[in-house]
Amino acid sequence: QGDAGAQLNIGKCYEEGNGVGQDPAEAVSWFRLAVNQGDATAQFKLGRCYDNGNGVGQNSAEAMRLLRLAVDGGHANAQVYLGCIYSHGTGVVQNHAEAVRLF
């Protein structure tokens, strides 16, 4: 089964190169394990990876799906990040009303 919090922390280590060599693709693998268990922080982290193409191919639709899951899970940073995406129209149709609602 695995521990989502531990999986998230290992992913962060690979993302930042903390105690291991920095490896964005390995970070994505660990984030995905935690996402599969419903971890909102992992959803946010993996959503950002897809948004930026960090460790995985850039995919705006998958980024939005994951970020929405994180927002629905109560992740405040995901809410602000998604608000910025709507405010700037990055990968989505610019929508200031949605941005304001998220902020």
Side-chain angles (χ1 to χ4, degrees):
Q1 186 72 14
D3 182 296
Q7 292 163 340
L8 173 65
N9 285 333
I10 292 169
K12 287 179 183 178
C13 287
Y14 279 105
E15 179 184 46
E16 299 165 3
N18 187 8
V20 295
Q22 191 172 23
D23 187 340
E26 188 66 19
V28 164
S29 295
W30 286 100
F31 292 153
R32 191 171 284 123
L33 290 172
V35 163
N36 290 340
Q37 295 186 67
D39 186 279
T41 300
Q43 292 162 345
F44 171 59
K45 291 284 214 177
L46 188 56
R48 284 182 36 192
C49 289
Y50 274 104
D51 187 41
N52 298 315
N54 189 21
V56 67
Q58 197 279 335
N59 183 329
S60 294
E62 184 64 3
M64 294 298 287
R65 183 187 77 78
L66 289 161
L67 292 168
R68 283 258 173 232
L69 284 173
V71 168
D72 292 346
H75 197 280
N77 288 341
Q79 193 167 340
V80 171
Y81 191 87
L82 193 55
C84 290
I85 287 174
Y86 277 109
S87 178
H88 298 297
T90 309
V92 297
V93 175
Q94 192 173 39
N95 185 334
H96 291 293
E98 182 65 4
V100 168
R101 186 188 73 74
L102 287 161
F103 290 140

